[in-house]
Amino acid sequence: MNKYKTYCDTTHKTNLWSPQGAKSFTMDDELYLDIIKKHFNPEERINSILEFGPGTGKTAGNLINLFLPTSYTFVDLPENLHNAKNHLGSAEPNKGYATDVPFPEVIPVPSSEYESIFNKPFDLFVEMNCLTETPEYYQQNIMDHVFPNCKNVILFDGDGAKPEWVETMLGWLSSLFHTVNVVEYRGAQKAILAQNPKKNEILNNN
């Protein structure tokens, strides 16, 4: 049986990452976008984006406009997926983001099926106050099977992140990436940005 389903059954949750997961959205989309802009070269090509917990889909729209990817995958609770799909769906016919390029392929993934993205390459992984709502084994699986295949990782998890969680993520990402920066925002909250994967260096030397 799927371990995530077992977790949901034993905790009497219906595919929820936390009791608040189905109704709590972070509304700092513009703040997140400003931080990302400051730490990314606008000419860097980001073709594929993976977002955990897209919420309303507004950040997804912002990132599509910024990077013009060819695919955008997002993982969320089944009861939340429609929010991001509806937001992006209303934008696509109007070409509301980039009028001179095709709209990216949008790939929604229910949180219970997150294993389907394991070991797939992505140019950018991003999440906003989502990972800390997941079980520890779920986070470990993301660290083991998703982060190593990403060229860039951005974690905005200041709302629920404890200092030890931040230290764990810093240690893990530092083992995978040459450049790992911590950016404070909204007081003491922290964003973690990891770039320049060491895996690429190993591949290039073989």
Side-chain angles (χ1 to χ4, degrees):
M1 181 181 289
N2 181 285
K3 188 174 182 180
Y4 186 58
K5 182 179 185 302
T6 303
Y7 171 83
C8 294
D9 291 343
T10 57
T11 55
H12 305 290
K13 298 177 181 179
T14 309
N15 289 332
L16 294 184
W17 287 339
S18 79
Q20 298 79 28
K23 33 189 177 179
S24 134
F25 294 133
T26 301
M27 306 301 289
D28 288 324
D29 309 277
E30 299 305 321
L31 172 62
Y32 298 146
L33 185 64
D34 287 342
I35 293 174
I36 291 172
K37 284 180 177 179
K38 290 178 182 178
H39 290 269
F40 272 85
N41 182 338
E43 296 182 358
E44 181 173 358
R45 195 72 189 101
I46 301 291
N47 288 313
S48 55
I49 299 176
L50 169 61
E51 181 181 1
F52 262 59
T56 64
K58 187 174 180 181
T59 293
N62 287 339
L63 293 179
I64 288 173
N65 188 41
L66 178 64
F67 292 119
L68 309 181
T70 56
S71 69
Y72 200 104
T73 303
F74 52 85
V75 180
D76 208 335
L77 308 171
E79 50 267 57
N80 284 351
L81 283 175
H82 70 278
N83 293 292
K85 287 194 294 185
N86 288 345
H87 180 82
L88 295 178
S90 65
E92 181 176 1
N94 299 326
K95 300 289 184 180
Y97 297 114
T99 58
D100 56 343
V101 297
F103 202 81
E105 178 185 11
V106 175
I107 307 169
V109 178
S111 56
S112 57
E113 299 175 17
Y114 76 125
E115 293 180 358
S116 66
I117 61 166
F118 284 6
N119 305 315
K120 292 185 177 180
F122 292 95
D123 292 330
L124 173 62
F125 174 98
V126 62
E127 65 92 25
M128 290 85 173
N129 298 306
C130 173
L131 279 185
T132 50
E133 296 184 348
T134 65
E136 287 188 10
Y137 79 84
Y138 199 106
Q139 296 178 34
Q140 190 64 52
N141 280 337
I142 299 304
M143 293 160 64
D144 290 339
H145 303 294
V146 177
F147 287 173
N149 301 291
C150 296
K151 291 183 179 179
N152 303 275
V153 172
I154 305 177
L155 309 178
F156 292 94
D157 230 314
D159 286 353
K162 297 178 180 179
E164 56 268 28
W165 186 91
V166 174
E167 290 303 316
T168 296
M169 286 298 166
L170 284 175
W172 190 261
L173 291 172
S174 294
S175 71
L176 298 172
F177 294 85
H178 286 291
T179 306
V180 180
N181 293 311
V182 177
V183 179
E184 290 193 356
Y185 66 99
R186 230 173 37 198
Q189 297 188 16
K190 295 178 173 63
I192 303 174
L193 298 92
Q195 298 167 295
N196 303 321
K198 296 179 179 179
K199 182 177 181 180
N200 285 358
E201 181 178 276
I202 295 173
L203 292 174
N204 291 336
N205 290 334
N206 288 340

